[in-house]
Amino acid sequence: MKFPLGQVVTTPGALRLLEEKRVSPELLLKRHQNGDWGTIPKEDRTENEISVKQGFRVMSSYPIDDVDERIWIITEADRSVTTILKPEEY
């Protein structure tokens, strides 16, 4: 575990998508918290590693199916809240 998640919240759209596709939010949260950032560019991976050490916001992106649907997970800089959402809900 690289950092605490704080309170975990999920947007309605993300919750529906995860339920519909039978994807475990706990699994995605575990990946996020352990530094598996999913499918983000190399520059963002580097930024996440710095952010973990410096106490800045951390973001992951995980594909959910073949239709280019994805879930974002964002942990705030103060580690008080982690949000699971769809990109269009940002």
Side-chain angles (χ1 to χ4, degrees):
M1 173 174 85
K2 289 187 169 236
F3 54 92
L5 297 174
Q7 179 182 6
V8 176
V9 297
T10 307
T11 61
L15 189 57
R16 266 192 309 278
L17 177 62
L18 292 171
E19 288 174 349
E20 179 182 303
K21 300 297 180 179
R22 298 179 188 222
V23 174
S24 165
E26 292 84 8
L27 175 64
L28 295 180
L29 286 166
K30 187 174 185 177
R31 288 177 62 187
H32 174 74
Q33 194 172 29
N34 286 312
D36 172 358
W37 313 121
T39 56
I40 62 173
K42 182 180 177 183
E43 299 80 20
D44 291 341
R45 290 177 182 281
T46 301
E47 185 64 32
N48 272 351
E49 292 300 330
I50 293 167
S51 295
V52 166
K53 293 175 186 162
Q54 299 291 325
F56 301 129
R57 187 178 82 156
V58 180
M59 179 181 171
S60 298
S61 178
Y62 305 104
I64 298 301
D65 63 18
D66 297 336
V67 189
D68 199 33
E69 292 205 76
R70 61 185 49 255
I71 289 292
W72 285 358
I73 299 180
I74 301 172
T75 299
E76 297 303 326
D78 66 1
R79 308 297 185 246
S80 63
V81 177
T82 295
T83 305
I84 303 172
L85 67 156
K86 293 172 65 176
E88 58 269 23
E89 295 175 307
Y90 184 72

